Amino acid sequence: MNPFIIWGDFLSGIGGAGGWLIAALLLGIAELAIPGVFLVFVAVAAAIVGLALLALPDLPIAAQIGAFAAWSVVTVLIGRRWYRDYPVEGDAARLNDPAARLVGAVVTVERAIEHGSGRVTLGDGAWPARGPELPTGVSARVVAVDAGVLVVEPLDG
């Protein structure tokens, strides 16, 4: 049996609403596979059009595409506003910024910080550092990273 005929029979059987709902599902899966926090909003738009077609099955294709475009814009704008008002915090916010993940780390002064500069050890590597006067061997906390230089302050206590 020809697989294209089977696929064509399946698509004609599910109707336009099913096609939009399948598109929404595929877009949702694509968002999971390639996270970018964008396709999920387009998937919501496709799902809205699919659900609308359940109520209005004779909606012309031009109206479907127009509704999909309009709902895509609306959902993306809602998403942008959401992420502006509720920004991602914690480790996920610094996922693509390795230097930012160093902030808060405890380091050991390898070469005394004198006149504002020195060297610290973090993990198995040594980094140039800036901060207040600190002798060799003391612990400090990274408070910022500036062009590959760790900005440190002494640990309290």
Side-chain angles (χ1 to χ4, degrees):
M1 188 156 239
N2 187 340
F4 294 109
I5 293 173
I6 294 171
W7 183 246
D9 290 342
F10 171 73
L11 288 178
S12 66
I14 63 170
W20 283 106
L21 293 173
I22 288 173
L25 179 66
L26 293 175
L27 286 165
I29 291 170
E31 176 69 36
L32 292 174
I34 311 166
V37 191
F38 172 73
L39 290 177
V40 68
F41 302 115
V42 179
V44 168
I48 290 170
V49 173
L51 293 174
L53 277 178
L54 291 175
L56 305 165
D58 295 329
L59 195 63
I61 188 72
Q64 293 175 36
I65 292 171
F68 174 68
W71 279 111
S72 292
V73 170
V74 168
T75 56
V76 167
L77 290 175
I78 290 170
R80 285 184 58 190
R81 172 96 188 240
W82 176 271
Y83 283 108
R84 186 190 70 215
D85 292 347
Y86 305 99
V88 176
E89 296 178 16
D91 290 338
R94 299 184 299 234
L95 180 63
N96 293 322
D97 188 0
R101 287 186 278 167
L102 300 176
V103 174
V106 175
V107 297
T108 304
V109 177
E110 178 181 274
R111 189 177 72 228
I113 299 178
E114 298 172 336
H115 308 292
S117 68
R119 197 154 184 87
V120 296
T121 302
L122 176 62
D124 62 353
W127 293 72
R130 262 193 350 242
E133 305 277 326
L134 291 172
T136 301
V138 300
S139 295
R141 183 172 315 280
V142 177
V143 294
V145 180
D146 182 24
V149 177
L150 302 184
V151 180
V152 298
E153 65 182 18
L155 285 177
D156 295 328

